[in-house]
Amino acid sequence: MKLIVAEKPDQGRTLASVFKMKKRDGFIEILPNEIFPKGAYVSWAIGHLTELSAPEQYNPAWKKWSLDTLPIIPENFKYEVVKSKAKQFQIIKKLATDQQVTEIIHAGDAGREGELIIRNILRLANCMKPMKRLWISSLTPKAIKEGFQNLLNEADTKNLYFEAYTRACADWVVGMNASRLYTLLLQKKGYSDVFSVGRVQTPTLALIVKRELEIENFVSEPFWEVLAKFNINGKKYSGKWEKDGDSRIKTKEMAEKIAAFCDGKNAEAAEVISEKKEFLPPLFYNLSAIQAEANRRFKMSPKKTLDVLQGLYQRGIVSYPRSDSRYVTPGEAEGFPSILNKLQANPDYQQLFPLPNSSIKNNKRYVNEKKVTDHYAIIPTEQVPNLNRLSGDELKLYDLLARTLIAAHYGPYIAEYTTIKTVVEGRAEFISKGKVQLDEGWKKVLPQKDSDKEPELPAVQQGETGTVLKSEVKESKTQPPKRLTEGQLITLMKTAGKHIEDKELEKVLMKAEGLGTEATRAGIITMLKDRAYIEVRKNLVYATAKAKILVTAVGGQVLASPEMTAKWEQRLHQIGEGEASPKQFIEQTSKMIKHLVSETSEGSSGWTFSDELTNAFVPGKKGGRSRRTTSLGKCKKCDGMVVDKGTFYGCSNYQKTKCNFTLSKQILGKTVTQKNIKKLLAEESTDVIEGFQSKDRTFNAKLYWDGEDSKLKFDIAAQPVNQGG
């Protein structure tokens, strides 16, 4: 008899569902069949059933957070059973030691983490029985049966276990030591909070803070553009003045001179360039790509996207979601006609058939075995569901995957892009851009938000002449870098190699797919939220004062740079390939941490933080207690006190009386500090705050509370900032 150990309960039940079975407490008994003549047991973990032991399990003195005990580096790492999951562990252990069980089938997710989860359970259960590995990319009945008939040998995936184990131990060393180190040193500076530090989360946070500071430090400058409307031989269109490819003019006076010069003058279409462009259908999705797309289209968080896909996978509806590949094998492509036939039967997709291309089996854009890693791209399986039975989020993601598969069988989207250079009086040059769709192609299947705003231009011939009907000056201002969305943050993590100057390391990190893995990026973002390093408001990512304080303290240390991740990923990959030593890797990590502890402890005396940052800092929860609140002054609406609520300032009486007095922390691009809120509440107005950014200008102002209108208002300072000219 065989024991099959899956990673999750749903997964275990799905694996067993293709056979006749009996449900038991914590496991399922598969009755004898062709594949298992003597029957089998199926049990499951509940994700991670085991965890690395806490520091005090190695040495009681390590329980207390103290600089004197750092660095904490165990001689040998120990795993233990998670207390809340002990019952399920005992069920697996009992089955594994059952004399009837002669072989174990490892059926964890087919990847590094799955390898680690199941092997650790069996190791703690002292199970030494022969083992085989189930390695499949979808949970359809067909895939499950084929997988059990083609099991891998235990040795085939053992190096992946060594890689995952080494990664976990090294991350423990970095996290335990660096988190304690920076927490204790920053507490000495007056920042009472826990500052979590990690190999992936900290360089990710550094990238977010870098963008945040670019936005905060951006100084907007005005510029002017000249727009003109032409009548060329009876054909009308508009254009924008340009010189050497730049349309921006630094002074209003110069812009007005150009506009006045052009008004009513003769014009010639000096150059007309038309170019036909083809855009191929999009590639299939890997996890990062669909997380970014779902966030862009549906404002769905990366974690939500992964959770929904995982649910669809466990029901056999889509393939393995944690894939890093955007290609499929020829074997998978052979199944596409069957899937497409089932999709065609659905009223939502009927109008998209028949397909322009009946097969893409030989199309290397999609079917490329060399580019398939452990898993192929995320695609619908042959188990096509009744769409009415999917939840709203499930339907959105399934529809996206189904349409992407259909779109791959369509031709390219083709458009003609035209650029007209119009010259006024032989001197002033204007550029007009437009496009005409020639063939809708795959966009019939996957409608896109068209970012090309070019209008359709008339059929103007080069050399035709006419006049300027009207010219006008348009005032604008330079814009700060755009704030990241959660989906863009996933992409930024994946492409973090672009931020490395060392070209060799850049190649390594790009090969290693950036910061984190397909499976962990959503979790890292969730962790940064939970630890109050970032806030996500209306799908936009904001770095908190806590994040800026930590990144300032870490400074140029390797902990904040993608370079360290590049080196780690390179060596870990080599361990997974059996080409590098886990022991040596841990030794090098320990050496790095020893150096970090001594260097950071000495250098911390030189850390400096601005008053604005200190005032904006809000301590988080400590030891399970609620967030510490500091009263900033008396509420303007009741007898309560105004306190810092994290993302805004509000009345302490809200829970009791529902007093809705609130003050925003961010006003027209500026952070309003606790210091200014105290001044506002005590003295009726703040100090002058520089750099408020309205639609048309940047200005200085005090903030004051207007009691009659119950409103916060601006007291505009005498001199506006950056009016230019």
Side-chain angles (χ1 to χ4, degrees), residues 273-548:
I273 299 172
S274 292
E275 184 184 5
K276 190 165 77 169
K277 290 185 181 179
E278 294 189 357
F279 298 89
L280 294 172
L283 294 171
F284 295 139
Y285 288 108
N286 59 18
L287 180 57
S288 289
I290 197 168
Q291 285 173 320
E293 183 70 1
N295 185 259
R296 185 181 73 84
R297 283 178 177 264
F298 316 124
K299 304 291 186 283
M300 201 180 287
S301 76
K303 183 180 184 301
K304 179 74 172 175
T305 300
L306 177 55
D307 289 347
V308 172
L309 287 172
Q310 183 70 24
L312 293 172
Y313 163 67
Q314 285 172 199
R315 280 150 57 198
I317 295 170
V318 304
S319 63
Y320 183 67
R322 290 176 171 84
S323 174
D324 61 358
S325 176
R326 302 191 72 170
Y327 303 87
V328 298
T329 63
E332 290 311 312
E334 282 178 7
F336 286 169
S338 170
I339 298 168
L340 291 164
N341 281 338
K342 291 176 183 175
L343 289 172
Q344 185 178 359
N346 190 291
D348 289 353
Y349 305 126
Q350 275 174 1
Q351 75 278 13
L352 304 175
F353 290 84
L355 301 173
N357 300 308
S358 59
S359 173
I360 57 169
K361 187 179 173 183
N362 298 316
N363 186 338
K364 290 217 164 176
R365 179 170 173 78
Y366 306 100
V367 186
N368 192 332
E369 196 155 18
K370 289 179 182 175
K371 292 190 177 182
V372 174
T373 49
D374 291 338
H375 299 279
Y376 49 81
I378 308 169
I379 56 172
T381 66
E382 69 267 19
Q383 199 167 301
V384 173
N386 179 337
L387 300 189
N388 295 326
R389 293 183 181 174
L390 298 179
S391 70
D393 288 337
E394 286 175 338
L395 181 58
K396 285 174 184 172
L397 293 183
Y398 185 82
D399 181 64
L400 187 56
L401 291 171
R403 286 179 179 273
T404 301
L405 176 60
I406 294 168
H409 292 73
Y410 268 68
Y413 165 75
I414 305 172
E416 186 173 71
Y417 289 78
T418 301
T419 302
I420 303 174
K421 183 198 286 185
T422 309
V423 180
V424 178
E425 290 292 325
R427 289 173 60 189
E429 294 181 357
F430 288 77
I431 300 297
S432 309
K433 292 185 176 182
K435 93 175 171 179
V436 178
Q437 177 179 299
L438 301 179
D439 190 333
E440 188 179 17
W442 58 269
K443 285 198 177 184
K444 178 183 177 184
V445 186
L446 270 169
Q448 304 289 300
K449 281 185 181 175
D450 205 339
S451 58
D452 295 330
K453 295 179 181 176
E454 290 95 340
E456 194 169 323
L457 292 173
V460 175
Q461 301 301 312
Q462 191 164 311
E464 286 190 298
T465 58
T467 58
V468 179
L469 292 174
K470 182 183 178 187
S471 60
E472 59 184 356
V473 174
K474 178 188 173 189
E475 183 178 354
S476 299
K477 64 176 183 174
T478 55
Q479 297 297 314
K482 287 189 175 177
R483 197 167 284 285
L484 295 165
T485 65
E486 280 196 83
Q488 288 166 340
L489 182 51
I490 285 280
T491 305
L492 185 64
M493 291 176 75
K494 192 176 175 72
T495 59
K498 289 179 182 174
H499 297 265
I500 295 180
E501 291 178 11
D502 184 320
K503 291 298 167 190
E504 285 306 307
L505 283 177
E506 182 179 345
K507 286 177 192 171
V508 171
L509 192 52
M510 293 304 281
K511 187 178 176 184
E513 297 292 357
L515 297 167
T517 65
E518 297 293 330
T520 61
R521 285 185 196 112
I524 292 291
I525 295 172
T526 301
M527 188 190 296
L528 293 175
K529 288 185 204 172
D530 292 345
R531 293 175 180 175
Y533 284 130
I534 63 172
E535 293 165 357
V536 179
R537 304 197 292 271
K538 295 183 179 177
N539 199 38
L540 296 175
V541 178
Y542 294 78
T544 64
K546 179 180 177 180
K548 294 175 201 168

Side-chain angles (χ1 to χ4, degrees), residues 72-209:
I72 294 169
I73 301 171
E75 282 185 32
N76 295 296
F77 289 89
K78 294 187 291 191
Y79 268 88
E80 59 189 48
V81 177
V82 177
K83 285 180 183 175
S84 62
K85 300 176 181 180
K87 181 185 174 186
Q88 189 60 27
F89 172 78
Q90 290 301 328
I91 289 169
I92 296 172
K93 184 176 180 180
K94 187 178 178 183
L95 292 169
T97 53
D98 188 325
Q99 289 185 350
Q100 292 181 82
V101 172
T102 56
E103 184 179 88
I104 310 295
I105 296 177
H106 179 328
D109 276 356
R112 283 182 307 216
E113 281 305 299
E115 202 64 36
L116 179 70
I117 288 170
I118 306 303
R119 286 188 187 252
N120 269 346
I121 293 168
L122 296 171
R123 196 161 63 88
L124 283 182
N126 294 315
C127 177
M128 307 296 289
K129 291 177 181 177
M131 189 173 85
K132 289 285 175 71
R133 182 65 159 103
L134 177 70
W135 193 277
I136 54 178
S137 289
S138 73
L139 288 172
T140 63
K142 182 182 173 212
I144 291 168
K145 286 181 178 177
E146 286 178 356
F148 279 127
Q149 287 167 332
N150 297 281
L151 295 167
L152 301 179
N153 292 319
E154 180 268 344
D156 293 341
T157 59
K158 194 165 192 175
N159 284 327
L160 281 179
Y161 165 68
F162 290 143
E163 178 185 348
Y165 189 92
T166 307
R167 180 185 296 271
C169 295
D171 282 352
W172 189 96
V173 170
V174 173
M176 286 294 174
N177 285 284
S179 297
R180 291 184 179 207
L181 175 68
Y182 284 98
T183 295
L184 294 167
L185 291 174
L186 285 167
Q187 280 177 358
K188 286 184 178 181
K189 298 284 183 182
Y191 301 110
S192 178
D193 205 344
V194 174
F195 288 84
S196 167
V197 177
R199 180 180 63 89
V200 178
Q201 62 163 307
T202 305
T204 301
L205 189 62
L207 291 174
I208 298 169
V209 169

